[in-house]
Amino acid sequence: MRVGFLGCGKIGRKMLNELLTMEGHEVSFIQDIVFDGEAPCPVVSSADEALLKTTDLVIESATSAVLKANIDSILKHCDLMLFSVTAFADQAFYDHVKELMAAYGHRVFLPHGAILGIDGIADGRELITSVSIETTKSPASLGRTDETVTVLYEGSTRGACEAYPRNVNVHAAVALAGIGFDKTQSRIIADPSVNTNTHKIIVDGEGIHFELNISSFSTGGVTGKYTPYSAVASMKKVLGGETGSFLFV
């Protein structure tokens, strides 16, 4: 497959470097206005129709705003694996993506990212009655300078995505897999004493109760240490690059 990258920061570079070691696939382009260093392909600052026409899959790890600006060009020509799941808190965008997929026949892949157990939430959504997610990060990861533990947000996940679009993709993915952005409840905490990104997910329903506690060392910025490795595994599943092993999808 020919793979293009929309955004190539920590997550994107991890996938790019892995893809370059895989036989049978090649990088068709990188679209990133701040990309630096050598690249094995054209580097562009905006969507290029000629490059998209020769691309099978675009992997997005930019921002929800960048994803929205490029979605029409991508889904017209390619499948898409995206990480800026908070974009779907915008109902109009969500509906538009569904229309594009129907019109052009291309697929959208949603990697599980930092979330363990996303399959269980998706499989049990008809039984689920309530979902809550509490995320604790350092103030720096949230673009803040709090000196004490501070609850920054408490309310619907739709509101959390609007307030912190780069920090709550975990919340957006859980909402999308489960009972939706309005029924899922989010809590965001800044804690100056931590150097991890921690997510506590509680799911209740008819005869079921899940509690997921996920903690990943922060590498700086908004991304935890685990997420880039998870991203590579998801990419390999989409590309069919794993053989000779049990595959959990």
Side-chain angles (χ1 to χ4, degrees):
M1 293 180 70
R2 286 178 55 80
V3 180
F5 286 85
L6 178 59
C8 202
K10 287 181 182 177
I11 295 175
R13 281 183 183 267
K14 182 72 174 177
M15 290 184 287
L16 172 66
N17 291 338
E18 186 69 24
L19 183 62
L20 293 174
T21 70
M22 297 170 60
E23 294 184 4
H25 306 293
E26 61 182 291
V27 183
S28 59
F29 69 88
I30 296 169
Q31 183 181 333
D32 192 322
I33 60 173
V34 295
F35 183 86
D36 58 358
E38 295 184 7
C41 62
V43 177
V44 297
S45 59
S46 59
D48 187 310
E49 288 282 322
L51 291 171
L52 285 166
K53 286 179 181 178
T54 63
T55 300
D56 301 298
L57 173 72
V58 171
I59 299 177
E60 178 274 329
S61 59
T63 66
S64 57
V66 171
L67 174 64
K68 289 180 178 181
N70 289 273
I71 194 69
D72 290 80
S73 298
I74 293 170
L75 286 180
K76 180 179 179 181
H77 300 289
C78 319
D79 288 342
L80 170 66
M81 184 170 87
L82 64 89
F83 286 86
S84 297
V85 192
T86 56
F88 289 120
D90 179 343
Q91 186 65 44
F93 178 73
Y94 174 82
D95 293 338
H96 184 55
V97 170
K98 291 181 69 175
E99 291 170 358
L100 290 172
M101 287 192 291
Y104 296 111
H106 290 121
R107 299 168 293 176
V108 172
F109 298 98
L110 301 171
H112 65 274
I115 319 163
L116 312 181
I118 193 71
D119 56 336
I121 295 172
D123 293 345
R125 65 160 64 104
E126 292 185 10
L127 298 173
I128 294 172
T129 56
S130 69
V131 181
S132 66
I133 315 165
E134 180 180 279
T135 288
T136 303
K137 295 185 176 184
S138 69
S141 294
L142 293 156
R144 296 174 59 89
T145 57
D146 303 273
E147 297 182 357
T148 60
V149 176
T150 305
V151 177
L152 305 181
Y153 178 86
E154 195 159 12
S156 74
T157 297
R158 192 180 301 279
C161 292
E162 293 170 355
Y164 293 93
R166 297 188 63 210
N167 294 93
V168 295
N169 282 304
V170 165
H171 296 234
V174 169
L176 204 57
I179 58 176
F181 288 90
D182 296 314
K183 293 182 179 179
T184 305
Q185 294 299 300
S186 292
R187 194 166 190 250
I188 306 168
I189 300 171
D191 185 344
S193 71
V194 305
N195 59 1
T196 57
N197 296 340
T198 301
H199 310 288
K200 182 177 182 180
I201 304 168
I202 300 177
V203 179
D204 283 298
E206 298 175 29
I208 61 171
H209 176 78
F210 304 153
E211 288 194 26
L212 305 170
N213 288 283
I214 303 158
S215 182
S216 178
F217 181 75
S218 176
T219 58
V222 299
T223 302
K225 187 175 180 66
Y226 170 74
T227 305
Y229 291 86
S230 168
V232 166
S234 294
M235 178 185 71
K236 286 183 175 180
K237 289 171 187 173
V238 173
L239 297 178
E242 290 189 25
T243 59
S245 62
F246 292 105
L247 301 180
F248 296 93
V249 298

